Amino acid sequence: MKVEDMDFVVTDVNYLVERPCALNWATKNLCFAHNYVMVLSADGFVTYETEGRHIIAEKNDVCVFPPGNVRSGTADNIHPWHFISVNFDLTFKAGNQDDFHRCLMHVPQTSGEIKKLFFSLSKIWSGKDPLYRAKSRTIVQEILIALLLTKTQITAPHANALEDAKEYIQENFCKDIPIEHLAEIAGFSLSHFRKLFTQCYGKSPKQYILFLRLNKAKDLLIAGECNVSETACLCGFHNVFYFSDLFKKTFGISPKAFQTQQHEKIFI
């Protein structure tokens, strides 16, 4: 699943329930036709049966059930279930929605930061202070993003070293970056670095640099403050013709035509 392709907006939070000790909790064929439901198991555990799956959600696990999902669940009475459940609406704008649903159906052993977000959400929702609905939508969105990143985080060896190199690229991608320097930052030979980076991020170091440059170029062109030549220079391309050809090969449209198209969308 490509996280960078995912785009969604939490449009409303309908209600939230927190139960610190859900003894004898059970539900049969529960279904919300139009709403998402996200549940944190803060303590204890629950067993769900849904879509042919048997899910045991233990402490710090999160489950996200999409609209139309039918599920039955039973909490454990020996280890009382403490849960926070939020019912919300979400508009999916880009990416594979089925992948999104499969990925988030059960996210085990989430971080302490995600748990804190849930408890903050519960406090804000129950307090009903000014702007509580807007704050709640923001937190639910933040939780979903954190869950997606948790499911797609790097598990390969030397992940921290690769992240250091990736962070360096993000801070300097408009400059000339020798790949040898990135390999030094990560502490690998050049060939081994290229192989590991590509395996972990789905792009070679050079492809990733070009990916960042081209997307920055799109932003500059949309903003309308730079022409094509200026945009190419600001994004680290020394040859405007190379930039224009690469832009068109990547996005199927020339930089100039893209800029005109985007301005027409904005100002008409």
Side-chain angles (χ1 to χ4, degrees):
M1 183 187 68
K2 294 183 178 180
V3 170
E4 61 265 30
D5 293 337
M6 295 289 172
D7 190 12
F8 53 88
V9 177
V10 175
T11 54
D12 205 1
V13 174
N14 304 307
Y15 66 83
L16 180 145
V17 175
E18 179 176 357
R19 290 186 61 181
C21 187
L23 287 172
N24 301 313
W25 182 93
T27 186
K28 184 72 172 176
N29 295 330
L30 181 65
C31 178
F32 294 91
H34 306 292
N35 314 120
Y36 284 82
V37 175
M38 180 166 60
V39 184
L40 166 72
S41 292
D43 206 355
F45 65 89
V46 63
T47 301
Y48 286 113
E49 299 289 343
T50 178
E51 298 180 351
R53 295 181 61 180
H54 181 79
I55 298 173
I56 299 177
E58 301 179 351
K59 183 177 180 179
N60 297 331
D61 290 6
V62 175
C63 293
V64 181
F65 301 108
N69 171 270
V70 180
R71 58 198 172 277
S72 299
T74 306
D76 182 76
N77 289 329
I78 298 176
H79 305 89
W81 191 36
H82 178 182
F83 72 87
I84 298 174
S85 175
V86 56
N87 182 298
F88 62 97
D89 299 330
L90 180 147
T91 298
F92 203 85
K93 302 181 71 175
N96 190 310
Q97 195 165 359
D98 290 336
D99 282 350
F100 178 86
H101 293 161
R102 282 192 295 269
C103 182
L104 297 186
M105 181 73 76
H106 181 212
V107 186
Q109 295 301 298
T110 60
S111 69
E113 290 303 314
I114 290 176
K115 191 172 183 178
K116 287 179 183 177
L117 287 170
F118 269 98
F119 280 102
S120 177
L121 175 64
S122 181
K123 182 179 178 181
I124 288 170
W125 186 263
S126 61
K128 298 294 189 291
D129 289 333
L131 298 176
Y132 79 96
R133 297 191 75 95
K135 292 177 182 177
S136 296
R137 289 195 300 271
T138 300
I139 294 175
V140 171
Q141 180 110 1
E142 189 174 351
I143 291 172
L144 290 170
I145 292 170
L147 291 174
L148 283 170
L149 293 175
T150 297
K151 290 287 285 189
T152 57
Q153 66 186 355
I154 300 171
T155 56
H158 313 297
N160 290 337
L162 290 172
E163 282 293 313
D164 289 343
K166 185 182 180 185
E167 184 176 342
Y168 183 88
I169 293 174
Q170 291 172 338
E171 293 174 354
N172 298 279
F173 65 88
C174 289
K175 304 174 184 176
D176 291 330
I177 305 177
I179 306 303
E180 293 82 359
H181 182 57
L182 296 174
E184 289 177 7
I185 292 173
F188 301 124
S189 69
L190 180 59
S191 60
H192 193 47
F193 170 70
R194 282 190 176 125
K195 180 180 179 181
L196 285 177
F197 192 96
T198 304
Q199 287 176 344
C200 287
Y201 301 115
K203 294 180 176 68
S204 70
K206 182 178 179 181
Q207 288 171 335
Y208 185 61
I209 291 169
L210 291 176
F211 170 80
L212 295 179
R213 288 181 175 182
L214 289 169
N215 279 280
K216 180 178 177 66
K218 287 176 73 175
D219 291 336
L220 290 173
L221 291 169
I222 292 172
E225 297 177 4
C226 303
N227 61 32
V228 174
S229 296
E230 291 167 336
T231 297
C233 183
L234 288 172
C235 293
F237 294 99
H238 302 302
N239 187 313
V240 67
F241 299 107
Y242 169 71
F243 164 68
S244 297
D245 287 344
L246 184 62
F247 191 99
K248 187 171 184 178
K249 287 178 182 177
T250 303
F251 301 117
I253 188 173
S254 71
K256 182 62 178 177
F258 173 79
Q259 187 175 50
T260 301
Q261 181 188 80
Q262 295 303 310
H263 285 189
E264 288 175 350
K265 288 181 180 179
I266 294 171
F267 295 111
I268 289 179

